Amino acid sequence: MISYNDIKDIINSLKTEGIEARVRDVAYLVMCDSFVDKALAAKVAYQEDDKPSNKVLSMLAEKLKPFGIGAITTISKDENREALLKEISEMKQIADDAKTSGDSDTFIKASKVVLDARVKLNDKFNIEEEEGQKRIIVVPQKHDIICKWTSRECSAMPSKEACMKYYNLIDAEK
């Protein structure tokens, strides 16, 4: 939380740097964290007044970050993956407890959550590849020609005699 005295201190420190900021600028930045629509936040904070420049807002946002205003928290991919794995283990435990106690509704719900979390892990984090279960797709070799005697794909044109012998063909009478 930020107090009015903290806001006044921040505004005074910006004045020493030659930047003119107002309390409504701080209110605008606080509302930007709360509102999805930035235009609505500007309308509420400034009403008919002009919005300050981006430089003023960026400097003010830097000063407000220690108070948790305008600070964007990011979660790394590894942290997200670990959270999903933790959720799976917790839901497995709940499902096991529900199974032993005979609560089928809880067991079904927990099982669905485990299944959804596993699907997310496979889709987003490629867990399957990391565990060594790679899928191998075998693509047959492309052939150069189609045999005029057997109408099959061939890499090299065989002789008529070789085809007739291999496929047990009989020479047609002319």
Side-chain angles (χ1 to χ4, degrees), residues 9 34-35 57 70 115 122 134:
D9 292 340
S34 302
F35 295 167
L57 290 175
L115 181 64
N122 282 337
K134 294 183 181 179

Side-chain angles (χ1 to χ4, degrees), residues 63-144:
K63 297 281 184 174
L64 291 172
K65 278 186 182 177
F67 297 98
I69 298 170
I72 299 171
T73 57
T74 58
I75 299 173
S76 71
K77 189 174 181 178
D78 291 332
E79 290 172 336
N80 199 6
R81 179 177 177 246
E82 293 302 319
L84 275 173
L85 290 172
K86 183 179 178 185
E87 180 183 348
I88 288 173
S89 65
E90 290 172 358
M91 284 297 130
K92 276 184 181 178
Q93 184 63 39
I94 291 171
D96 290 341
D97 293 344
K99 189 175 183 180
T100 56
S101 68
D103 187 5
S104 62
D105 290 337
T106 305
F107 174 72
I108 291 170
K109 288 177 184 176
S111 297
K112 286 182 180 178
V113 170
V114 168
L115 181 64
D116 290 342
R118 286 185 180 277
V119 168
K120 285 180 189 175
L121 276 172
N122 282 337
D123 288 347
K124 304 293 181 194
F125 301 106
N126 296 326
I127 295 295
E128 192 173 300
E129 291 180 10
E130 291 176 7
E131 292 176 356
Q133 299 175 352
K134 294 183 181 179
R135 292 185 182 140
I136 299 172
I137 300 172
V138 177
V139 179
Q141 179 183 357
K142 294 289 182 184
H143 300 285
D144 298 332

